[in-house]
Amino acid sequence: MKDPICGMEVQENSKIFLIEGKEKVYFCSKYCLENYKKRKEQILKGCELCERKAEEILYTCPMHPEIKEKKEGFCQKCGMALEPLSLEFEEEKEYKDFLKRFWFSLTFTIPLFLISMFGFIIPKEELKGWIEFLLATPVVLYGGYPLFVRFFNSIKYKSLNMFTLIGIGISTSYIFSTSVKFFLKENANLYFETASVITTLVLLGQVLEMKARKNTKKSIKALLSLSPKKARKIFEDGKEEDVPLEELRVGDKVRVKPGERVPVDGIVIDGGTYIDESMITGEPIPVLKKEKDFVIAGTLNQEGSIIVLAEKVGKDTVLSKIIEMVKIAQGSKPKIQRLADKISSYFVPFVFFSSVLTFIIWQFLSKDPNLSISIMNAISVLIIACPCALGLATPISIVVATGKGALSGVLFKDSSSIEVMKKVNCLLIDKTGTITEGKPSIQFIKTIEGISKEEFLFYLGSIERKSEHPLAKPIIEFAEGKGIKLEEPKNFQYFMGRGVKGYIKDKEVLSGSKFLMEEENIVLSSFEVDFKKFEEEGCTIIFLSLDKKLIGFVALFDRIKDSSIKALEILKKEGIEVVILSGDNKKSTENLAKKIGIKDFIAEVLPEQKLEIVKRYQSEGMIVCMAGDGVNDAPALSQADVGIAMGTGTDVAIEAGDITLIKGDLYGIVKARLISKKTVSNIKENLFWAFIYNFLGIPIAAGALYPFFGILLSPMIAAGAMSFSSISVVLNALRLNKFNV
């Protein structure tokens, strides 16, 4: 067993333990024991150190995620036990309870079944009846207790569900047999073994289903396990000490040794190494990280020792937000599920009506009416048609798919985006950071006479210090690399998609595209020959003016991602119309389009125009997917049928759009589409088999085969078939874990 704080193996005979309920929790040291107590106290009272309030544990239903309660209980709609939303608090209490009741019931059911089937074991009918009653009663009353609780809740909340049908089936066979035994005193058949076997099989089905459902959450548990329990903090005096992750704060320095997972989001300030980011991005090749590079919590340090300056800790890290997004997506409901819910709401009354009709036909319209057979056929209809499989068909597939996507670097914000992504036939893609790497480098600098490159870089680097545009970073790094000391601009203004403006040394500084220069009446003609040459080569041009006078420009080039061409080829083969949107000039955008094999492009697009372009394509009947960097493209991402944010490890990238690609390349769109196609196909398979199963099962249970083959379906077989149908749906959903993305 493992220490819940540090994860170290602990022997069961350890003297350091804590009793919780009826179980012991073992620790490797008193230090971990005390930390465990503190953590429990913080969960209940809230953390005094970070002044956060205690999180409220909410419970939800796996089939109806819109149901959220503050305590354990049962779903008012379907009767299933509510599960904790936070997997950190997940327990196996319900599973263990049902398992215990199953084994108890099985112990009594086996001899009861043998006595009932083989009459020679106890030849005396009077004694046999008593033994069957004594064996069946504890099974029905103790084993079936949670089933009856849910049955009565379905009546109480006026929400008929599978437990309504099960409860009526078990109680009818048990009460009928008890009445015959004690009151009627006639030679009618006893069905104690039916009540007992149905109870035991339903319990078995629930146990197997719970176990299978837990496997659907393996992916999110794998993400949770990435976060280390401790971090090696470096104090101001240089001393290093392992501290619990909860004690880390923004600005702390931590050492990450080879083989350890990064405990925080932050910047490498010393050392270099290769980091395995596969559990975050889905890419198996380790990434070189050196000083000033960003590292993500949960990723694995493979080689060197590095020191990381913490920028985000705890629930603010990329990993924590990924886990939160996966939880939200798994708890959302697509359109196809709402259809299944509507059908289920009519299905249970239909089954009940079918059961009553079956009884009437057999009892009053058959040539040889038999009360026992009439009741058993009616019970068979109730049991075999339980709509559990129908309710599980969609949510189980969504849980598996969102987890699979997260481990592949594809985050679905909700289940609807999984459903719609398959239907997309138009893809609008932003250029910078989407098709290209988003790491532009300076290729050329041109200044007017009297302005040195150093002075030009001073003003350009200083004004860009407050800009959030992707082009600002390489400019600042280039200037600082030349040893130029930059200043903070005053009265800073940002013009979305066009540039920035501010004052440095009492001079008005304007940096941006030719659109901004034209708006500010800055003349560009003196440099027209030079900058057009670089535009034709695919470079992005940034102009700089001082006090309304142009002093120069810089040409930046952003390399096309290796994966872009391959991804676009796949998407085009699937019949998707791909259109490039770029703020760059027409010649530069055309040059890029030719390189990646795309015919359609729209150049010189401002951020606010992208929204109108999305609407235009939608008005033409296209199902539009918009892919952008998640910063300037937010309105267009929101308007599109599916908005895809290219993840860069920033808050904006993760929160924007319906889908976030953590690695941020176009091949992630191919992955998202594949997951969508496989998931929708899997849901349809589940719904098809659930409907077919019930469509065929009801008439067979009602006795449709009896006139032709003399076959009647026993309620016991119906119970086994009903349980198997639910398990088969879960197992089919688990197949989504096996396909390669």
Side-chain angles (χ1 to χ4, degrees):
M1 61 184 66
K2 292 186 177 182
D3 186 312
I5 295 296
C6 66
M8 291 183 65
E9 291 290 337
V10 184
Q11 299 299 319
E12 200 166 334
N13 59 2
S14 171
K15 294 181 180 178
I16 305 172
F17 63 85
L18 184 69
I19 298 176
E20 288 197 338
K22 296 181 180 179
E23 297 182 359
K24 292 181 179 179
V25 182
Y26 291 90
F27 302 88
C28 66
S29 64
K30 289 183 178 179
Y31 176 83
C32 284
L33 172 62
E34 291 304 315
N35 271 290
Y36 184 80
K37 289 179 180 178
K38 285 179 184 177
R39 182 179 295 181
K40 285 286 185 182
E41 191 175 335
Q42 286 172 1
I43 289 169
L44 294 173
K45 297 181 180 179
C47 178
E48 295 175 0
L49 293 171
C50 60
E51 297 180 348
R52 286 180 181 169
K53 293 182 179 179
E55 282 191 31
E56 200 168 44
I57 306 173
L58 294 176
Y59 295 83
T60 188
C61 171
M63 286 168 60
H64 297 92
E66 69 274 14
I67 299 290
K68 290 182 175 61
E69 299 289 343
K70 294 181 180 179
K71 59 182 180 180
E72 293 177 280
F74 303 102
C75 176
Q76 295 178 14
K77 290 187 177 181
C78 67
M80 293 185 72
L82 300 178
E83 298 177 352
L85 266 174
S86 176
L87 289 182
E88 292 89 336
F89 297 95
E90 186 172 13
E91 297 177 355
E92 293 189 348
K93 185 160 62 174
E94 186 200 16
Y95 171 75
K96 289 179 179 178
D97 179 57
F98 268 73
L99 187 63
K100 181 174 69 175
R101 291 178 191 274
F102 164 71
W103 286 116
F104 175 88
S105 300
L106 187 65
T107 304
F108 287 85
T109 299
I110 290 175
L112 172 58
F113 181 77
L114 293 174
I115 291 169
S116 175
M117 291 296 105
F118 305 101
F120 60 84
I121 296 176
I122 303 176
K124 293 184 179 181
E125 287 297 323
E126 182 70 19
L127 179 60
K128 179 184 173 185
W130 273 107
I131 293 175
E132 287 182 0
F133 169 75
L134 292 173
L135 288 171
T137 299
V139 174
V140 172
L141 297 183
Y142 174 73
Y145 175 76
L147 307 180
F148 282 112
V149 169
R150 299 175 189 194
F151 163 59
F152 288 120
N153 280 338
S154 72
I155 305 299
K156 177 182 175 183
Y157 296 117
K158 299 177 183 177
S159 178
L160 304 181
N161 53 54
M162 61 173 284
F163 293 103
T164 314
L165 305 179
I166 290 170
I168 293 172
I170 295 172
S171 58
T172 301
S173 54
Y174 179 78
I175 293 170
F176 171 76
S177 301
T178 304
S179 300
V180 170
K181 173 65 184 167
F182 289 99
F183 304 110
L184 300 182
K185 300 294 183 181
E186 62 179 43
N187 293 325
N189 291 329
L190 299 180
Y191 291 98
F192 287 119
E193 85 285 354
T194 299
S196 185
V197 171
I198 290 174
T199 303
T200 305
L201 286 175
V202 171
L203 288 172
L204 174 62
Q206 290 288 297
V207 166
L208 294 176
E209 184 188 306
M210 287 175 200
K211 195 162 187 178
R213 279 210 321 265
K214 287 185 184 298
N215 288 332
T216 65
K217 296 185 178 180
K218 277 186 177 179
S219 54
I220 195 169
K221 287 179 181 177
L223 288 170
L224 282 167
S225 68
L226 294 180
S227 184
K229 303 296 182 185
K230 291 185 178 182
R232 191 160 189 79
K233 182 179 176 179
I234 302 174
F235 292 86
E236 291 183 4
D237 59 1
K239 180 184 174 184
E240 297 184 11
E241 184 181 334
D242 288 335
V243 299
L245 214 60
E246 294 82 2
E247 294 182 14
L248 289 180
R249 298 290 174 268
V250 174
D252 285 348
K253 297 176 184 177
V254 294
R255 183 179 296 280
V256 187
K257 295 180 180 178
E260 294 180 344
R261 294 199 177 274
V262 180
V264 296
D265 286 358
I267 302 294
V268 178
I269 58 174
D270 185 62
T273 186
Y274 280 90
I275 298 283
D276 179 1
E277 297 182 337
S278 59
M279 290 298 282
I280 300 292
T281 65
E283 297 298 325
I285 302 172
V287 181
L288 175 63
K289 297 289 183 180
K290 51 189 185 301
E291 287 186 27
K292 295 186 179 180
D293 284 341
F294 187 79
V295 290
I296 302 172
T299 54
L300 183 64
N301 181 16
Q302 290 199 329
E303 293 186 8
S305 175
I306 56 173
I307 296 175
V308 177
L309 180 67
E311 289 192 342
K312 292 175 184 175
V313 297
K315 294 198 170 180
D316 295 326
T317 63
V318 170
L319 177 61
S320 294
K321 291 186 177 182
I322 289 172
I323 293 169
E324 191 60 32
M325 278 187 73
V326 174
K327 287 179 184 175
I328 292 169
Q330 291 183 346
S332 61
K333 185 178 290 190
K335 291 179 182 177
I336 197 169
Q337 173 63 21
R338 290 194 282 272
L339 175 63
D341 285 349
K342 191 171 183 179
I343 293 171
S344 294
S345 67
Y346 293 106
F347 189 70
V348 174
F350 168 75
V351 172
F352 187 76
F353 172 77
S354 299
S355 176
V356 173
L357 185 62
T358 299
F359 175 82
I360 292 171
I361 291 171
W362 278 92
Q363 185 62 28
F364 300 107
L365 301 179
S366 64
K367 292 180 181 179
D368 300 306
N370 184 301
L371 182 61
S372 297
I373 292 177
S374 300
I375 290 175
M376 288 304 103
N377 285 344
I379 291 172
S380 294
V381 171
L382 287 173
I383 299 298
I384 202 168
C386 285
C388 183
L390 189 61
L392 283 170
T394 300
I396 290 296
S397 296
I398 292 296
V399 167
V400 178
T402 48
K404 177 79 173 178
L407 295 180
S408 305
V410 180
L411 298 180
F412 294 95
K413 182 170 281 187
D414 57 44
S415 54
S416 294
S417 56
I418 299 178
E419 197 173 7
V420 177
M421 189 63 197
K422 175 182 179 292
K423 304 174 185 176
V424 166
N425 53 19
C426 177
L427 173 63
L428 306 179
I429 46 177
D430 184 46
K431 189 191 85 168
T432 306
T434 304
I435 298 172
T436 60
E437 289 185 339
K439 297 177 181 178
S441 58
I442 292 177
Q443 302 293 305
F444 181 78
I445 298 173
K446 177 81 173 181
T447 63
I448 63 171
E449 191 176 340
I451 297 289
S452 67
K453 289 185 179 179
E454 287 75 18
E455 186 178 2
F456 174 87
L457 287 170
F458 165 74
Y459 283 108
L460 182 62
S462 296
I463 194 65
E464 293 290 348
R465 286 187 73 175
K466 283 192 175 181
S467 173
E468 295 180 357
H469 196 278
L471 295 176
K473 186 178 179 181
I475 291 171
I476 295 166
E477 289 179 351
F478 187 84
E480 290 178 340
K482 295 286 186 181
I484 298 170
K485 190 175 181 181
L486 305 178
E487 292 186 5
E488 285 287 320
K490 297 178 181 177
N491 300 327
F492 182 82
Q493 288 180 269
Y494 176 62
F495 304 96
M496 185 174 286
R498 298 192 293 280
V500 293
K501 181 180 178 181
Y503 287 84
I504 300 169
K505 292 187 174 180
D506 296 326
K507 291 185 178 182
E508 183 190 83
V509 182
L510 193 67
S511 168
S513 67
K514 65 180 179 181
F515 301 110
L516 182 61
M517 297 296 152
E518 288 170 358
E519 287 174 10
E520 297 287 331
N521 298 315
I522 309 295
V523 180
L524 305 177
S525 56
S526 58
F527 284 141
E528 190 167 359
V529 175
D530 295 299
F531 72 70
K532 283 198 171 182
K533 173 189 169 186
F534 286 100
E535 282 181 343
E536 289 174 2
E537 293 175 2
C539 289
T540 301
I541 309 300
I542 301 295
F543 298 95
L544 185 71
S545 73
L546 286 184
D547 292 331
K548 302 291 184 181
K549 182 183 178 182
L550 184 69
I551 65 167
F553 73 86
V554 60
L556 297 100
F557 182 74
D558 197 359
R559 201 170 73 87
I560 297 170
K561 292 176 183 175
D562 295 333
S563 60
S564 293
I565 297 173
K566 182 182 176 183
L568 290 170
E569 283 177 359
I570 295 171
L571 293 169
K572 284 192 295 180
K573 283 180 182 177
E574 293 195 4
I576 297 175
E577 182 180 338
V578 182
V579 183
I580 299 172
L581 304 183
S582 176
D584 280 348
N585 64 87
K586 184 178 179 180
K587 196 68 181 175
S588 175
T589 308
E590 184 180 13
N591 188 23
L592 172 76
K594 284 181 181 178
K595 287 181 181 178
I596 60 175
I598 299 297
K599 293 181 181 178
D600 299 322
F601 65 88
I602 304 173
E604 301 178 354
V605 178
L606 297 175
E608 57 267 26
Q609 293 174 323
K610 291 178 182 178
L611 175 62
E612 296 306 316
I613 292 170
V614 171
K615 288 181 178 179
R616 190 178 81 210
Y617 277 96
Q618 287 176 327
S619 68
E620 295 172 3
M622 308 291 277
I623 298 174
V624 178
C625 173
M626 170 71 192
D629 60 13
V631 182
N632 295 334
D633 303 320
L637 290 173
S638 178
Q639 174 63 34
D641 297 285
V642 179
I644 296 183
M646 314 303 284
T648 57
T650 65
D651 291 342
V652 177
I654 288 180
E655 291 170 6
D658 303 300
I659 301 173
T660 300
L661 308 180
I662 296 299
K663 191 182 178 189
D665 70 39
L666 286 177
Y667 203 78
I669 299 177
V670 177
K671 290 182 179 180
R673 190 167 168 84
L674 179 60
I675 292 170
S676 172
K677 289 165 74 174
K678 293 283 186 181
T679 305
V680 172
S681 175
N682 189 269
I683 290 171
K684 287 180 178 178
E685 288 169 5
N686 285 346
L687 290 173
F688 172 79
W689 288 113
F691 279 120
I692 288 295
Y693 167 82
N694 286 296
F695 180 75
L696 296 176
I698 291 176
I700 292 172
L705 298 178
Y706 186 77
F708 306 101
F709 306 103
I711 297 173
L712 288 176
L713 190 67
S714 165
M716 294 182 286
I717 297 174
M722 181 271 293
S723 297
F724 176 75
S725 69
S726 300
I727 296 163
S728 62
V729 163
V730 178
L731 294 177
N732 186 51
L734 286 172
R735 290 194 307 115
L736 288 170
N737 275 323
K738 295 183 179 179
F739 79 90
N740 294 321
V741 179

